[in-house]
Amino acid sequence: MGLRDFGERRRVPGLRRDELAQLAGVGLSYYTRLEQGLSLNASPEVLDALARALGLDEVERAHLHDLARASRRTGTRRRPAPERAGDTTQQLLAAFGDAPAIVLGRRSDVLAWNRTGHALFAGHLDPHIPDQPDQRPNTARLVFLDAHTRDLYVDWPKKARDVVGKLRLAAEQHPDDPRLAALIGELTMKSPEFAGMWSEHRVRKWDLATYRMHHPVVGRMQLNLQTLNVPQEDGQRIVVVTAEAGTGSAAALSLLARAGGPSGVQSVRRAGRTEAAGSPRHGGGQPVRGER
């Protein structure tokens, strides 16, 4: 659903300030104070009216309410505590077995991963690097600044926008996190694509996403990434990867699970070539039923 058309030609699309106030049913002077940050007491009803006038979806509406609550906070805010994957989170990570899984923090830092999660997302990095807080890989930084990760996602623009949307939500929820602010500044300076997407002010919150990926060892796959929030850990989540049973993607994940260091990678490559020669349906992650 688009914004209401007031029947006038204008140089740029969108609503004028008086038109938005009219659609939301509030006075122009009151809306102007809200827009300028001079009034901090907008009621939930007024915010909902503005969301309807702007055609916001559920995630954007929730983000608007979060921004209003943040503006009302007073007093000294405590900086977020250092992050770590707790013992129960590590146990849950291990319980996923060969399914690729990683634990992400509020800044999208990798706090932990299982063996296949490392092989899928960052096999070119030291598998023990999440144990070093100052050296942890960050998924946003990898997506925008790491050539290996960029090549991994066939749907790179989709993945990039999802990353930016998540990061904008995190920035609102943790406004006093200096490392988060530094990350956003770094990406803005180093990646024009990030800067452009960040300026769009879009928020995204996804629990399930499907991406086409091309792994350098096992080839092309279509994978489902499902996000599970970690209880009692502010902002932490586990991302688990699956593929449709009986497809080349599922076979490719099985091959990837057999890799364990350089020798394992070489054996997987040989196995992929052997399976490709013997069974076109499952060779090297080639698409089969339902995949493109």
mmCIF file with all atom_site columns, all heavy atoms in Angstrom, residues 98-100 116 120 213 215 218 220-224 241-244 247-259 285:
data_model
loop_
_atom_site.group_PDB
_atom_site.id
_atom_site.type_symbol
_atom_site.label_atom_id
_atom_site.label_alt_id
_atom_site.label_comp_id
_atom_site.label_asym_id
_atom_site.label_entity_id
_atom_site.label_seq_id
_atom_site.pdbx_PDB_ins_code
_atom_site.Cartn_x
_atom_site.Cartn_y
_atom_site.Cartn_z
_atom_site.occupancy
_atom_site.B_iso_or_equiv
_atom_site.pdbx_formal_charge
_atom_site.auth_seq_id
_atom_site.auth_comp_id
_atom_site.auth_asym_id
_atom_site.auth_atom_id
_atom_site.pdbx_PDB_model_num
ATOM 1   N N   . ASP A 1 98  ? 25.535 -31.739 13.016 1.00 0.00 ? 98  ASP A N   1
ATOM 2   C CA  . ASP A 1 98  ? 26.175 -31.326 11.771 1.00 0.00 ? 98  ASP A CA  1
ATOM 3   C C   . ASP A 1 98  ? 25.476 -30.154 11.087 1.00 0.00 ? 98  ASP A C   1
ATOM 4   O O   . ASP A 1 98  ? 25.985 -29.637 10.085 1.00 0.00 ? 98  ASP A O   1
ATOM 5   C CB  . ASP A 1 98  ? 26.228 -32.507 10.793 1.00 0.00 ? 98  ASP A CB  1
ATOM 6   C CG  . ASP A 1 98  ? 27.272 -33.545 11.197 1.00 0.00 ? 98  ASP A CG  1
ATOM 7   O OD1 . ASP A 1 98  ? 28.186 -33.188 11.969 1.00 0.00 ? 98  ASP A OD1 1
ATOM 8   O OD2 . ASP A 1 98  ? 27.170 -34.698 10.744 1.00 0.00 ? 98  ASP A OD2 1
ATOM 9   N N   . ALA A 1 99  ? 24.315 -29.735 11.585 1.00 0.00 ? 99  ALA A N   1
ATOM 10  C CA  . ALA A 1 99  ? 23.645 -28.576 10.986 1.00 0.00 ? 99  ALA A CA  1
ATOM 11  C C   . ALA A 1 99  ? 24.456 -27.322 11.283 1.00 0.00 ? 99  ALA A C   1
ATOM 12  O O   . ALA A 1 99  ? 24.779 -27.052 12.440 1.00 0.00 ? 99  ALA A O   1
ATOM 13  C CB  . ALA A 1 99  ? 22.230 -28.434 11.541 1.00 0.00 ? 99  ALA A CB  1
ATOM 14  N N   . PRO A 1 100 ? 24.812 -26.535 10.283 1.00 0.00 ? 100 PRO A N   1
ATOM 15  C CA  . PRO A 1 100 ? 25.595 -25.319 10.548 1.00 0.00 ? 100 PRO A CA  1
ATOM 16  C C   . PRO A 1 100 ? 24.841 -24.388 11.495 1.00 0.00 ? 100 PRO A C   1
ATOM 17  O O   . PRO A 1 100 ? 23.656 -24.124 11.315 1.00 0.00 ? 100 PRO A O   1
ATOM 18  C CB  . PRO A 1 100 ? 25.746 -24.679 9.160  1.00 0.00 ? 100 PRO A CB  1
ATOM 19  C CG  . PRO A 1 100 ? 25.549 -25.804 8.197  1.00 0.00 ? 100 PRO A CG  1
ATOM 20  C CD  . PRO A 1 100 ? 24.551 -26.715 8.838  1.00 0.00 ? 100 PRO A CD  1
ATOM 21  N N   . THR A 1 116 ? 30.519 -27.079 11.478 1.00 0.00 ? 116 THR A N   1
ATOM 22  C CA  . THR A 1 116 ? 29.967 -26.870 10.138 1.00 0.00 ? 116 THR A CA  1
ATOM 23  C C   . THR A 1 116 ? 29.575 -25.416 9.921  1.00 0.00 ? 116 THR A C   1
ATOM 24  O O   . THR A 1 116 ? 29.634 -24.909 8.795  1.00 0.00 ? 116 THR A O   1
ATOM 25  C CB  . THR A 1 116 ? 28.747 -27.780 9.912  1.00 0.00 ? 116 THR A CB  1
ATOM 26  O OG1 . THR A 1 116 ? 29.000 -29.069 10.475 1.00 0.00 ? 116 THR A OG1 1
ATOM 27  C CG2 . THR A 1 116 ? 28.463 -27.951 8.437  1.00 0.00 ? 116 THR A CG2 1
ATOM 28  N N   . LEU A 1 120 ? 30.886 -23.340 6.747  1.00 0.00 ? 120 LEU A N   1
ATOM 29  C CA  . LEU A 1 120 ? 29.969 -22.717 5.793  1.00 0.00 ? 120 LEU A CA  1
ATOM 30  C C   . LEU A 1 120 ? 30.230 -21.220 5.663  1.00 0.00 ? 120 LEU A C   1
ATOM 31  O O   . LEU A 1 120 ? 30.374 -20.699 4.552  1.00 0.00 ? 120 LEU A O   1
ATOM 32  C CB  . LEU A 1 120 ? 28.520 -22.950 6.226  1.00 0.00 ? 120 LEU A CB  1
ATOM 33  C CG  . LEU A 1 120 ? 27.459 -22.226 5.391  1.00 0.00 ? 120 LEU A CG  1
ATOM 34  C CD1 . LEU A 1 120 ? 27.484 -22.700 3.941  1.00 0.00 ? 120 LEU A CD1 1
ATOM 35  C CD2 . LEU A 1 120 ? 26.066 -22.424 5.998  1.00 0.00 ? 120 LEU A CD2 1
ATOM 36  N N   . MET A 1 213 ? 23.421 -19.601 -2.163 1.00 0.00 ? 213 MET A N   1
ATOM 37  C CA  . MET A 1 213 ? 24.822 -19.429 -1.796 1.00 0.00 ? 213 MET A CA  1
ATOM 38  C C   . MET A 1 213 ? 25.698 -20.285 -2.702 1.00 0.00 ? 213 MET A C   1
ATOM 39  O O   . MET A 1 213 ? 25.255 -21.318 -3.218 1.00 0.00 ? 213 MET A O   1
ATOM 40  C CB  . MET A 1 213 ? 25.035 -19.795 -0.324 1.00 0.00 ? 213 MET A CB  1
ATOM 41  C CG  . MET A 1 213 ? 24.170 -18.983 0.632  1.00 0.00 ? 213 MET A CG  1
ATOM 42  S SD  . MET A 1 213 ? 24.268 -19.507 2.369  1.00 0.00 ? 213 MET A SD  1
ATOM 43  C CE  . MET A 1 213 ? 25.869 -18.857 2.812  1.00 0.00 ? 213 MET A CE  1
ATOM 44  N N   . HIS A 1 215 ? 29.306 -21.975 -2.306 1.00 0.00 ? 215 HIS A N   1
ATOM 45  C CA  . HIS A 1 215 ? 30.438 -22.251 -1.429 1.00 0.00 ? 215 HIS A CA  1
ATOM 46  C C   . HIS A 1 215 ? 31.633 -22.709 -2.257 1.00 0.00 ? 215 HIS A C   1
ATOM 47  O O   . HIS A 1 215 ? 31.478 -23.503 -3.192 1.00 0.00 ? 215 HIS A O   1
ATOM 48  C CB  . HIS A 1 215 ? 30.052 -23.330 -0.405 1.00 0.00 ? 215 HIS A CB  1
ATOM 49  C CG  . HIS A 1 215 ? 31.005 -23.439 0.722  1.00 0.00 ? 215 HIS A CG  1
ATOM 50  N ND1 . HIS A 1 215 ? 32.148 -24.215 0.654  1.00 0.00 ? 215 HIS A ND1 1
ATOM 51  C CD2 . HIS A 1 215 ? 31.018 -22.865 1.964  1.00 0.00 ? 215 HIS A CD2 1
ATOM 52  C CE1 . HIS A 1 215 ? 32.808 -24.120 1.799  1.00 0.00 ? 215 HIS A CE1 1
ATOM 53  N NE2 . HIS A 1 215 ? 32.144 -23.312 2.607  1.00 0.00 ? 215 HIS A NE2 1
ATOM 54  N N   . VAL A 1 218 ? 31.848 -26.871 -1.828 1.00 0.00 ? 218 VAL A N   1
ATOM 55  C CA  . VAL A 1 218 ? 30.751 -27.792 -2.191 1.00 0.00 ? 218 VAL A CA  1
ATOM 56  C C   . VAL A 1 218 ? 29.792 -27.206 -3.220 1.00 0.00 ? 218 VAL A C   1
ATOM 57  O O   . VAL A 1 218 ? 28.817 -27.853 -3.589 1.00 0.00 ? 218 VAL A O   1
ATOM 58  C CB  . VAL A 1 218 ? 29.972 -28.239 -0.936 1.00 0.00 ? 218 VAL A CB  1
ATOM 59  C CG1 . VAL A 1 218 ? 30.869 -29.045 -0.011 1.00 0.00 ? 218 VAL A CG1 1
ATOM 60  C CG2 . VAL A 1 218 ? 29.358 -27.049 -0.199 1.00 0.00 ? 218 VAL A CG2 1
ATOM 61  N N   . ARG A 1 220 ? 27.028 -24.751 -5.302 1.00 0.00 ? 220 ARG A N   1
ATOM 62  C CA  . ARG A 1 220 ? 25.805 -23.946 -5.184 1.00 0.00 ? 220 ARG A CA  1
ATOM 63  C C   . ARG A 1 220 ? 24.785 -24.623 -4.272 1.00 0.00 ? 220 ARG A C   1
ATOM 64  O O   . ARG A 1 220 ? 24.566 -25.834 -4.350 1.00 0.00 ? 220 ARG A O   1
ATOM 65  C CB  . ARG A 1 220 ? 25.185 -23.765 -6.564 1.00 0.00 ? 220 ARG A CB  1
ATOM 66  C CG  . ARG A 1 220 ? 24.131 -22.679 -6.615 1.00 0.00 ? 220 ARG A CG  1
ATOM 67  C CD  . ARG A 1 220 ? 24.605 -21.557 -7.483 1.00 0.00 ? 220 ARG A CD  1
ATOM 68  N NE  . ARG A 1 220 ? 23.532 -20.649 -7.813 1.00 0.00 ? 220 ARG A NE  1
ATOM 69  C CZ  . ARG A 1 220 ? 23.613 -19.727 -8.745 1.00 0.00 ? 220 ARG A CZ  1
ATOM 70  N NH1 . ARG A 1 220 ? 24.703 -19.628 -9.464 1.00 0.00 ? 220 ARG A NH1 1
ATOM 71  N NH2 . ARG A 1 220 ? 22.628 -18.902 -8.979 1.00 0.00 ? 220 ARG A NH2 1
ATOM 72  N N   . MET A 1 221 ? 24.143 -23.810 -3.426 1.00 0.00 ? 221 MET A N   1
ATOM 73  C CA  . MET A 1 221 ? 23.135 -24.325 -2.496 1.00 0.00 ? 221 MET A CA  1
ATOM 74  C C   . MET A 1 221 ? 22.033 -23.298 -2.308 1.00 0.00 ? 221 MET A C   1
ATOM 75  O O   . MET A 1 221 ? 22.254 -22.098 -2.472 1.00 0.00 ? 221 MET A O   1
ATOM 76  C CB  . MET A 1 221 ? 23.760 -24.619 -1.123 1.00 0.00 ? 221 MET A CB  1
ATOM 77  C CG  . MET A 1 221 ? 24.821 -25.684 -1.111 1.00 0.00 ? 221 MET A CG  1
ATOM 78  S SD  . MET A 1 221 ? 25.604 -25.842 0.532  1.00 0.00 ? 221 MET A SD  1
ATOM 79  C CE  . MET A 1 221 ? 26.661 -24.386 0.540  1.00 0.00 ? 221 MET A CE  1
ATOM 80  N N   . GLN A 1 222 ? 20.854 -23.787 -1.977 1.00 0.00 ? 222 GLN A N   1
ATOM 81  C CA  . GLN A 1 222 ? 19.764 -22.919 -1.531 1.00 0.00 ? 222 GLN A CA  1
ATOM 82  C C   . GLN A 1 222 ? 19.466 -23.307 -0.087 1.00 0.00 ? 222 GLN A C   1
ATOM 83  O O   . GLN A 1 222 ? 19.034 -24.426 0.194  1.00 0.00 ? 222 GLN A O   1
ATOM 84  C CB  . GLN A 1 222 ? 18.520 -23.111 -2.400 1.00 0.00 ? 222 GLN A CB  1
ATOM 85  C CG  . GLN A 1 222 ? 17.356 -22.207 -1.995 1.00 0.00 ? 222 GLN A CG  1
ATOM 86  C CD  . GLN A 1 222 ? 16.258 -22.176 -3.050 1.00 0.00 ? 222 GLN A CD  1
ATOM 87  O OE1 . GLN A 1 222 ? 16.496 -21.781 -4.190 1.00 0.00 ? 222 GLN A OE1 1
ATOM 88  N NE2 . GLN A 1 222 ? 15.064 -22.606 -2.673 1.00 0.00 ? 222 GLN A NE2 1
ATOM 89  N N   . LEU A 1 223 ? 19.694 -22.361 0.840  1.00 0.00 ? 223 LEU A N   1
ATOM 90  C CA  . LEU A 1 223 ? 19.673 -22.685 2.259  1.00 0.00 ? 223 LEU A CA  1
ATOM 91  C C   . LEU A 1 223 ? 18.698 -21.797 3.016  1.00 0.00 ? 223 LEU A C   1
ATOM 92  O O   . LEU A 1 223 ? 18.488 -20.632 2.670  1.00 0.00 ? 223 LEU A O   1
ATOM 93  C CB  . LEU A 1 223 ? 21.073 -22.512 2.849  1.00 0.00 ? 223 LEU A CB  1
ATOM 94  C CG  . LEU A 1 223 ? 22.185 -23.352 2.210  1.00 0.00 ? 223 LEU A CG  1
ATOM 95  C CD1 . LEU A 1 223 ? 23.531 -23.030 2.834  1.00 0.00 ? 223 LEU A CD1 1
ATOM 96  C CD2 . LEU A 1 223 ? 21.876 -24.841 2.329  1.00 0.00 ? 223 LEU A CD2 1
ATOM 97  N N   . ASN A 1 224 ? 18.121 -22.373 4.053  1.00 0.00 ? 224 ASN A N   1
ATOM 98  C CA  . ASN A 1 224 ? 17.229 -21.646 4.950  1.00 0.00 ? 224 ASN A CA  1
ATOM 99  C C   . ASN A 1 224 ? 17.996 -21.282 6.217  1.00 0.00 ? 224 ASN A C   1
ATOM 100 O O   . ASN A 1 224 ? 18.570 -22.158 6.868  1.00 0.00 ? 224 ASN A O   1
ATOM 101 C CB  . ASN A 1 224 ? 16.015 -22.504 5.310  1.00 0.00 ? 224 ASN A CB  1
ATOM 102 C CG  . ASN A 1 224 ? 15.222 -22.904 4.080  1.00 0.00 ? 224 ASN A CG  1
ATOM 103 O OD1 . ASN A 1 224 ? 14.928 -22.069 3.230  1.00 0.00 ? 224 ASN A OD1 1
ATOM 104 N ND2 . ASN A 1 224 ? 14.884 -24.175 3.970  1.00 0.00 ? 224 ASN A ND2 1
ATOM 105 N N   . VAL A 1 241 ? 21.207 -23.338 10.051 1.00 0.00 ? 241 VAL A N   1
ATOM 106 C CA  . VAL A 1 241 ? 21.063 -23.474 8.595  1.00 0.00 ? 241 VAL A CA  1
ATOM 107 C C   . VAL A 1 241 ? 20.553 -24.867 8.258  1.00 0.00 ? 241 VAL A C   1
ATOM 108 O O   . VAL A 1 241 ? 21.074 -25.873 8.755  1.00 0.00 ? 241 VAL A O   1
ATOM 109 C CB  . VAL A 1 241 ? 22.406 -23.219 7.887  1.00 0.00 ? 241 VAL A CB  1
ATOM 110 C CG1 . VAL A 1 241 ? 22.248 -23.311 6.379  1.00 0.00 ? 241 VAL A CG1 1
ATOM 111 C CG2 . VAL A 1 241 ? 22.966 -21.858 8.294  1.00 0.00 ? 241 VAL A CG2 1
ATOM 112 N N   . THR A 1 242 ? 19.551 -24.913 7.388  1.00 0.00 ? 242 THR A N   1
ATOM 113 C CA  . THR A 1 242 ? 19.017 -26.191 6.921  1.00 0.00 ? 242 THR A CA  1
ATOM 114 C C   . THR A 1 242 ? 18.796 -26.116 5.414  1.00 0.00 ? 242 THR A C   1
ATOM 115 O O   . THR A 1 242 ? 18.807 -25.045 4.820  1.00 0.00 ? 242 THR A O   1
ATOM 116 C CB  . THR A 1 242 ? 17.676 -26.531 7.602  1.00 0.00 ? 242 THR A CB  1
ATOM 117 O OG1 . THR A 1 242 ? 16.724 -25.495 7.335  1.00 0.00 ? 242 THR A OG1 1
ATOM 118 C CG2 . THR A 1 242 ? 17.847 -26.689 9.112  1.00 0.00 ? 242 THR A CG2 1
ATOM 119 N N   . ALA A 1 243 ? 18.575 -27.294 4.829  1.00 0.00 ? 243 ALA A N   1
ATOM 120 C CA  . ALA A 1 243 ? 18.251 -27.387 3.404  1.00 0.00 ? 243 ALA A CA  1
ATOM 121 C C   . ALA A 1 243 ? 17.133 -28.406 3.241  1.00 0.00 ? 243 ALA A C   1
ATOM 122 O O   . ALA A 1 243 ? 16.940 -29.302 4.081  1.00 0.00 ? 243 ALA A O   1
ATOM 123 C CB  . ALA A 1 243 ? 19.468 -27.816 2.589  1.00 0.00 ? 243 ALA A CB  1
ATOM 124 N N   . GLU A 1 244 ? 16.379 -28.280 2.163  1.00 0.00 ? 244 GLU A N   1
ATOM 125 C CA  . GLU A 1 244 ? 15.280 -29.215 1.911  1.00 0.00 ? 244 GLU A CA  1
ATOM 126 C C   . GLU A 1 244 ? 15.832 -30.620 1.716  1.00 0.00 ? 244 GLU A C   1
ATOM 127 O O   . GLU A 1 244 ? 16.795 -30.833 0.957  1.00 0.00 ? 244 GLU A O   1
ATOM 128 C CB  . GLU A 1 244 ? 14.499 -28.778 0.674  1.00 0.00 ? 244 GLU A CB  1
ATOM 129 C CG  . GLU A 1 244 ? 13.291 -29.659 0.384  1.00 0.00 ? 244 GLU A CG  1
ATOM 130 C CD  . GLU A 1 244 ? 12.553 -29.237 -0.865 1.00 0.00 ? 244 GLU A CD  1
ATOM 131 O OE1 . GLU A 1 244 ? 12.883 -28.170 -1.423 1.00 0.00 ? 244 GLU A OE1 1
ATOM 132 O OE2 . GLU A 1 244 ? 11.649 -29.986 -1.294 1.00 0.00 ? 244 GLU A OE2 1
ATOM 133 N N   . THR A 1 247 ? 17.603 -32.820 -1.610 1.00 0.00 ? 247 THR A N   1
ATOM 134 C CA  . THR A 1 247 ? 18.082 -31.918 -2.649 1.00 0.00 ? 247 THR A CA  1
ATOM 135 C C   . THR A 1 247 ? 19.603 -31.905 -2.711 1.00 0.00 ? 247 THR A C   1
ATOM 136 O O   . THR A 1 247 ? 20.286 -32.411 -1.816 1.00 0.00 ? 247 THR A O   1
ATOM 137 C CB  . THR A 1 247 ? 17.586 -30.482 -2.383 1.00 0.00 ? 247 THR A CB  1
ATOM 138 O OG1 . THR A 1 247 ? 18.163 -30.015 -1.148 1.00 0.00 ? 247 THR A OG1 1
ATOM 139 C CG2 . THR A 1 247 ? 16.070 -30.427 -2.279 1.00 0.00 ? 247 THR A CG2 1
ATOM 140 N N   . GLY A 1 248 ? 20.117 -31.315 -3.770 1.00 0.00 ? 248 GLY A N   1
ATOM 141 C CA  . GLY A 1 248 ? 21.564 -31.150 -3.880 1.00 0.00 ? 248 GLY A CA  1
ATOM 142 C C   . GLY A 1 248 ? 22.126 -30.290 -2.786 1.00 0.00 ? 248 GLY A C   1
ATOM 143 O O   . GLY A 1 248 ? 23.265 -30.465 -2.366 1.00 0.00 ? 248 GLY A O   1
ATOM 144 N N   . SER A 1 249 ? 21.332 -29.343 -2.298 1.00 0.00 ? 249 SER A N   1
ATOM 145 C CA  . SER A 1 249 ? 21.781 -28.491 -1.202 1.00 0.00 ? 249 SER A CA  1
ATOM 146 C C   . SER A 1 249 ? 21.997 -29.303 0.069  1.00 0.00 ? 249 SER A C   1
ATOM 147 O O   . SER A 1 249 ? 22.967 -29.104 0.795  1.00 0.00 ? 249 SER A O   1
ATOM 148 C CB  . SER A 1 249 ? 20.762 -27.380 -0.952 1.00 0.00 ? 249 SER A CB  1
ATOM 149 O OG  . SER A 1 249 ? 20.650 -26.541 -2.073 1.00 0.00 ? 249 SER A OG  1
ATOM 150 N N   . ALA A 1 250 ? 21.074 -30.230 0.347  1.00 0.00 ? 250 ALA A N   1
ATOM 151 C CA  . ALA A 1 250 ? 21.218 -31.094 1.521  1.00 0.00 ? 250 ALA A CA  1
ATOM 152 C C   . ALA A 1 250 ? 22.458 -31.973 1.381  1.00 0.00 ? 250 ALA A C   1
ATOM 153 O O   . ALA A 1 250 ? 23.210 -32.190 2.344  1.00 0.00 ? 250 ALA A O   1
ATOM 154 C CB  . ALA A 1 250 ? 19.965 -31.936 1.716  1.00 0.00 ? 250 ALA A CB  1
ATOM 155 N N   . ALA A 1 251 ? 22.696 -32.482 0.165  1.00 0.00 ? 251 ALA A N   1
ATOM 156 C CA  . ALA A 1 251 ? 23.881 -33.301 -0.067 1.00 0.00 ? 251 ALA A CA  1
ATOM 157 C C   . ALA A 1 251 ? 25.150 -32.478 0.112  1.00 0.00 ? 251 ALA A C   1
ATOM 158 O O   . ALA A 1 251 ? 26.148 -32.953 0.661  1.00 0.00 ? 251 ALA A O   1
ATOM 159 C CB  . ALA A 1 251 ? 23.822 -33.898 -1.472 1.00 0.00 ? 251 ALA A CB  1
ATOM 160 N N   . ALA A 1 252 ? 25.112 -31.231 -0.342 1.00 0.00 ? 252 ALA A N   1
ATOM 161 C CA  . ALA A 1 252 ? 26.285 -30.366 -0.203 1.00 0.00 ? 252 ALA A CA  1
ATOM 162 C C   . ALA A 1 252 ? 26.591 -30.081 1.259  1.00 0.00 ? 252 ALA A C   1
ATOM 163 O O   . ALA A 1 252 ? 27.756 -30.066 1.674  1.00 0.00 ? 252 ALA A O   1
ATOM 164 C CB  . ALA A 1 252 ? 26.056 -29.063 -0.965 1.00 0.00 ? 252 ALA A CB  1
ATOM 165 N N   . LEU A 1 253 ? 25.546 -29.854 2.072  1.00 0.00 ? 253 LEU A N   1
ATOM 166 C CA  . LEU A 1 253 ? 25.775 -29.632 3.509  1.00 0.00 ? 253 LEU A CA  1
ATOM 167 C C   . LEU A 1 253 ? 26.377 -30.880 4.153  1.00 0.00 ? 253 LEU A C   1
ATOM 168 O O   . LEU A 1 253 ? 27.223 -30.772 5.049  1.00 0.00 ? 253 LEU A O   1
ATOM 169 C CB  . LEU A 1 253 ? 24.469 -29.249 4.199  1.00 0.00 ? 253 LEU A CB  1
ATOM 170 C CG  . LEU A 1 253 ? 23.968 -27.814 4.020  1.00 0.00 ? 253 LEU A CG  1
ATOM 171 C CD1 . LEU A 1 253 ? 22.723 -27.582 4.866  1.00 0.00 ? 253 LEU A CD1 1
ATOM 172 C CD2 . LEU A 1 253 ? 25.045 -26.794 4.381  1.00 0.00 ? 253 LEU A CD2 1
ATOM 173 N N   . SER A 1 254 ? 25.928 -32.056 3.724  1.00 0.00 ? 254 SER A N   1
ATOM 174 C CA  . SER A 1 254 ? 26.501 -33.302 4.264  1.00 0.00 ? 254 SER A CA  1
ATOM 175 C C   . SER A 1 254 ? 27.980 -33.409 3.917  1.00 0.00 ? 254 SER A C   1
ATOM 176 O O   . SER A 1 254 ? 28.805 -33.830 4.739  1.00 0.00 ? 254 SER A O   1
ATOM 177 C CB  . SER A 1 254 ? 25.744 -34.513 3.722  1.00 0.00 ? 254 SER A CB  1
ATOM 178 O OG  . SER A 1 254 ? 24.406 -34.515 4.176  1.00 0.00 ? 254 SER A OG  1
ATOM 179 N N   . LEU A 1 255 ? 28.332 -33.047 2.683  1.00 0.00 ? 255 LEU A N   1
ATOM 180 C CA  . LEU A 1 255 ? 29.744 -33.053 2.293  1.00 0.00 ? 255 LEU A CA  1
ATOM 181 C C   . LEU A 1 255 ? 30.543 -32.060 3.133  1.00 0.00 ? 255 LEU A C   1
ATOM 182 O O   . LEU A 1 255 ? 31.648 -32.351 3.574  1.00 0.00 ? 255 LEU A O   1
ATOM 183 C CB  . LEU A 1 255 ? 29.878 -32.700 0.815  1.00 0.00 ? 255 LEU A CB  1
ATOM 184 C CG  . LEU A 1 255 ? 29.494 -33.773 -0.212 1.00 0.00 ? 255 LEU A CG  1
ATOM 185 C CD1 . LEU A 1 255 ? 29.525 -33.188 -1.612 1.00 0.00 ? 255 LEU A CD1 1
ATOM 186 C CD2 . LEU A 1 255 ? 30.418 -34.978 -0.109 1.00 0.00 ? 255 LEU A CD2 1
ATOM 187 N N   . LEU A 1 256 ? 29.952 -30.883 3.348  1.00 0.00 ? 256 LEU A N   1
ATOM 188 C CA  . LEU A 1 256 ? 30.648 -29.857 4.114  1.00 0.00 ? 256 LEU A CA  1
ATOM 189 C C   . LEU A 1 256 ? 30.899 -30.305 5.550  1.00 0.00 ? 256 LEU A C   1
ATOM 190 O O   . LEU A 1 256 ? 31.938 -29.987 6.147  1.00 0.00 ? 256 LEU A O   1
ATOM 191 C CB  . LEU A 1 256 ? 29.830 -28.567 4.097  1.00 0.00 ? 256 LEU A CB  1
ATOM 192 C CG  . LEU A 1 256 ? 30.528 -27.300 4.578  1.00 0.00 ? 256 LEU A CG  1
ATOM 193 C CD1 . LEU A 1 256 ? 31.732 -26.984 3.705  1.00 0.00 ? 256 LEU A CD1 1
ATOM 194 C CD2 . LEU A 1 256 ? 29.556 -26.132 4.574  1.00 0.00 ? 256 LEU A CD2 1
ATOM 195 N N   . ALA A 1 257 ? 29.951 -31.056 6.105  1.00 0.00 ? 257 ALA A N   1
ATOM 196 C CA  . ALA A 1 257 ? 30.096 -31.535 7.478  1.00 0.00 ? 257 ALA A CA  1
ATOM 197 C C   . ALA A 1 257 ? 31.260 -32.514 7.616  1.00 0.00 ? 257 ALA A C   1
ATOM 198 O O   . ALA A 1 257 ? 31.785 -32.712 8.719  1.00 0.00 ? 257 ALA A O   1
ATOM 199 C CB  . ALA A 1 257 ? 28.798 -32.191 7.937  1.00 0.00 ? 257 ALA A CB  1
ATOM 200 N N   . ARG A 1 258 ? 31.660 -33.109 6.500  1.00 0.00 ? 258 ARG A N   1
ATOM 201 C CA  . ARG A 1 258 ? 32.768 -34.069 6.546  1.00 0.00 ? 258 ARG A CA  1
ATOM 202 C C   . ARG A 1 258 ? 34.135 -33.379 6.465  1.00 0.00 ? 258 ARG A C   1
ATOM 203 O O   . ARG A 1 258 ? 35.169 -34.031 6.623  1.00 0.00 ? 258 ARG A O   1
ATOM 204 C CB  . ARG A 1 258 ? 32.626 -35.064 5.392  1.00 0.00 ? 258 ARG A CB  1
ATOM 205 C CG  . ARG A 1 258 ? 31.471 -36.033 5.622  1.00 0.00 ? 258 ARG A CG  1
ATOM 206 C CD  . ARG A 1 258 ? 30.892 -36.586 4.338  1.00 0.00 ? 258 ARG A CD  1
ATOM 207 N NE  . ARG A 1 258 ? 31.888 -37.245 3.488  1.00 0.00 ? 258 ARG A NE  1
ATOM 208 C CZ  . ARG A 1 258 ? 31.587 -37.787 2.297  1.00 0.00 ? 258 ARG A CZ  1
ATOM 209 N NH1 . ARG A 1 258 ? 30.339 -37.729 1.855  1.00 0.00 ? 258 ARG A NH1 1
ATOM 210 N NH2 . ARG A 1 258 ? 32.520 -38.357 1.587  1.00 0.00 ? 258 ARG A NH2 1
ATOM 211 N N   . ALA A 1 259 ? 34.137 -32.085 6.205  1.00 0.00 ? 259 ALA A N   1
ATOM 212 C CA  . ALA A 1 259 ? 35.409 -31.361 6.114  1.00 0.00 ? 259 ALA A CA  1
ATOM 213 C C   . ALA A 1 259 ? 35.937 -31.069 7.503  1.00 0.00 ? 259 ALA A C   1
ATOM 214 O O   . ALA A 1 259 ? 35.202 -30.743 8.412  1.00 0.00 ? 259 ALA A O   1
ATOM 215 C CB  . ALA A 1 259 ? 35.229 -30.057 5.343  1.00 0.00 ? 259 ALA A CB  1
ATOM 216 N N   . GLY A 1 285 ? 26.446 -29.927 -4.894 1.00 0.00 ? 285 GLY A N   1
ATOM 217 C CA  . GLY A 1 285 ? 25.437 -28.932 -4.569 1.00 0.00 ? 285 GLY A CA  1
ATOM 218 C C   . GLY A 1 285 ? 24.660 -28.453 -5.775 1.00 0.00 ? 285 GLY A C   1
ATOM 219 O O   . GLY A 1 285 ? 24.106 -27.369 -5.780 1.00 0.00 ? 285 GLY A O   1
#
